[in-house]
Amino acid sequence: MDWGLNTLLSAGAARLPNDGRITALGAGTQFRAAGVLAKQHRLRRIFERLHAKTDHYARLNDRALDDKAQVLAQEIRRVSERRSHLNDALAWAAARWAVDQAVAAGASVIYLEDLRSMEAGGMGRTHNTRMSQTVRGQIAERMRHLAAEIGIAVVIVPPRNTSKHCPHCLTPLRHRKAPDRTTVPGWKWAICPGCGWQGDRDQGAWRRIAARGLTHQTKTVVDRATGTMVIRVVVDKLEAKAVITA
């Protein structure tokens, strides 16, 4: 599972047979939530605007504005509840989708990109909203809960360079505008100058995450603080074998 900007989650299945040659099972799939993310962004803008009005009334320090300030406080609580309910519904939907994909593929483990790679600071308000750490944290938590009920492990994988290197030969990728979304910002198409592989950047990333997780299985540990299974380090010798066989 790869965290994306426009797709929220990109996922696919890979297998590591006894001969050590990792193969991808199909082209993968994506969980898109553009409509929900747009609604989140709209609610956040309303929330910020209401807070700005509240701060303005506080600076004026006029008792005649107390009634208006109370109305604003009620509206802020209402918008906060709507944002919370929306985030919760999105988290459960995405987590259920992810686990259903794993069940359909007959998977025994879900390798999930480390959330710490999704720092959104300094990238603009829209980007920050869509890359919300809170929502992704809820999705990961619910994913672990649902997967544990059916005996599937969820392991956190280091994300370093998973979107930059080819999943088949580890050559640095070149990125272009997606051919079917030339006017849409954010969508990237990856092209490998080495082996010629090309595809959506997020589709290449989930392959890299799957290959890294499978080759680093023996490096899986349990975090003492959270109880989460995680692969903390990438070993160069193993990483050289973390490629998808075409």
Side-chain angles (χ1 to χ4, degrees), residues 1 3 14 26 37 52 66 83 109 132 135 137 145-146 158 165 203 243:
M1 302 281 175
W3 299 110
L37 293 173
D66 287 352
R83 294 178 68 190
V109 60
S132 171
V135 176
H145 173 76
L146 293 173
H165 290 168
Q203 290 292 328
V243 295

Side-chain angles (χ1 to χ4, degrees), residues 47-246:
F47 187 79
E48 292 175 345
R49 189 160 56 244
L50 292 172
H51 266 290
K53 286 185 178 180
T54 301
D55 293 341
H56 179 64
Y57 288 164
R59 287 193 299 270
L60 292 176
N61 195 24
D62 187 349
R63 297 297 298 272
L65 298 174
D66 287 352
D67 291 341
K68 290 186 176 180
Q70 291 180 4
V71 172
L72 281 176
Q74 293 176 357
E75 186 67 14
I76 288 173
R77 286 194 295 271
R78 188 180 69 84
V79 173
S80 296
E81 291 176 356
R82 288 179 62 191
R83 294 178 68 190
S84 178
H85 292 160
L86 185 64
N87 289 345
D88 189 64
L90 175 60
W92 278 115
R96 171 57 65 187
W97 175 88
V99 174
D100 285 347
Q101 295 299 317
V103 171
S108 58
V109 60
I110 296 174
Y111 289 111
L112 182 65
E113 179 186 11
D114 194 339
L115 266 174
R116 289 176 297 180
S117 68
M118 307 298 289
E119 294 295 338
M123 297 184 184
R125 182 179 297 172
T126 301
H127 189 86
N128 289 348
T129 301
R130 300 170 78 180
M131 300 285 277
S132 171
Q133 290 285 68
T134 301
V135 176
R136 283 171 170 78
Q138 291 175 353
I139 293 172
E141 180 181 350
R142 286 158 176 72
M143 193 184 302
R144 286 191 289 268
H145 173 76
L146 293 173
E149 290 182 343
I150 53 177
I152 296 178
V154 177
V155 179
I156 306 301
V157 178
R160 180 170 59 90
N161 293 330
T162 50
S163 297
K164 296 181 179 179
H165 290 168
C166 175
H168 295 291
C169 66
L170 301 183
T171 301
L173 294 168
R174 297 173 181 170
H175 292 97
R176 302 286 187 271
K177 285 284 187 180
D180 58 339
R181 297 181 177 89
T182 56
T183 60
V184 181
W187 295 90
K188 293 292 183 66
W189 193 256
I191 301 173
C192 177
C195 67
W197 177 85
Q198 59 177 297
D200 186 287
R201 178 180 59 181
D202 292 339
Q203 290 292 328
W206 77 251
R207 287 171 169 81
R208 291 283 297 112
I209 291 168
R212 178 172 291 174
L214 289 171
T215 56
H216 288 77
Q217 291 182 57
T218 57
K219 302 299 179 182
T220 304
V221 297
V222 177
D223 186 276
R224 292 183 179 180
T226 63
T228 303
M229 286 184 286
V230 59
I231 297 172
R232 298 190 186 279
V233 295
V234 176
V235 181
D236 292 340
K237 185 177 180 180
L238 295 176
E239 186 71 0
K241 302 177 182 178
V243 295
I244 301 290
T245 302

